[in-house]
Amino acid sequence: MTARTTRRTTAKRTRLAAVGSIAVAGTLLLTGCGDQTKDEGSEGGASAATGAAPLADRLPQAIRDKGVIRVGSDIAYAPVEYKDDSGRTVGIDPDIAAAMGKQLGVEFEFQNATFDTLIGGIAAKRYDVAMSAMTDTKPRQEGIDSETGKKVGAGVDFVDYFTAGVSLYTNAGDTKGIKTWDDLCGRTMAVQRNTFSHDLARDQAKKCTDAGKKTLRIEDFATNPEAETRMRSKGADVVSADFPIAAYSVKNAGGGTYFEIVGDQVEAGPYGIAVAKDNTQLRDALQAAVQAIIDNGEYEEIVKKWGVEDGAITEARINGGGS
């Protein structure tokens, strides 16, 4: 399944990101969780801390001593990160983290949480980083609440490692005539809270109101599967999510019978690994590790495995998000 990426004039991005077909089989999680529990089955494991690790000396000594980077992640966002039938954490992010772990000589230990608590978890030192299909944006870099415009925290730095657009999808055969974001006026959207899709939805609601049209009603949920369940029950007309997630759901939910993508992707931006502003040594080590797996070909193998080659990057940037 493919979709073109088109420019949306109210979106807060300066570059386009088209993500390729998701040709991945798996089980869609229809319930989410935020139990803060550790996942010992994520790829990488203790083997990451053995053998040659050319970038190990770049890490802070405390992390080298522990041999672990604690990763806050919303593990209900297939195919980026999710639990397989055996309960292991799998997906694009865990695979990239495992490859980085070989470069750094550490294990990336994914810990489950709801998306809207991840940056706060870094500030509270519950996690060393957050890696969860998190779009690198200026408000997140600066600790600004995207809805109120107020300063709410110190912000984070990002190490960018992927790029993705945003899609709309509906119940199969029940599109309500939705083809573009401007068709959403008067409709109800279910969306995962504090995501970039949520930001775009709020922008569109204001645009509808400013144009004298019925507003877009927004229902936000802790996880994307909860938003999908709301739409399945006819409580919402449409869901918005990053294209890899939308395409995976359309392909797999109900054996491919539950949902359909409507319209084209809209521009978004880079996914970033979030790191505390004062943890520059860890940030720079992660950047070096992402660049190393790009250069040695492991990154290319991972994105091909998951069918998302069009979202691949060639340069690991810090804070590359434009707005």
Side-chain angles (χ1 to χ4, degrees), residues 48-59 64 100-106:
T50 64
L55 300 176
D57 62 352
R58 305 257 188 124
L59 286 169
R64 293 180 65 185
M100 293 170 63
K102 289 188 292 184
Q103 296 292 318
L104 295 166
V106 294

Side-chain angles (χ1 to χ4, degrees), residues 75-87:
I75 310 174
Y77 213 49
V80 183
E81 50 262 314
Y82 66 105
K83 301 278 189 179
D84 67 10
D85 291 339
S86 69

Side-chain angles (χ1 to χ4, degrees), residues 144-164:
I144 303 296
D145 184 291
S146 59
E147 183 173 13
T148 65
K150 294 181 179 179
K151 181 82 170 176
V152 293
V156 291
D157 284 337
F158 286 98
V159 177
D160 298 338
Y161 65 96
F162 190 73
T163 182

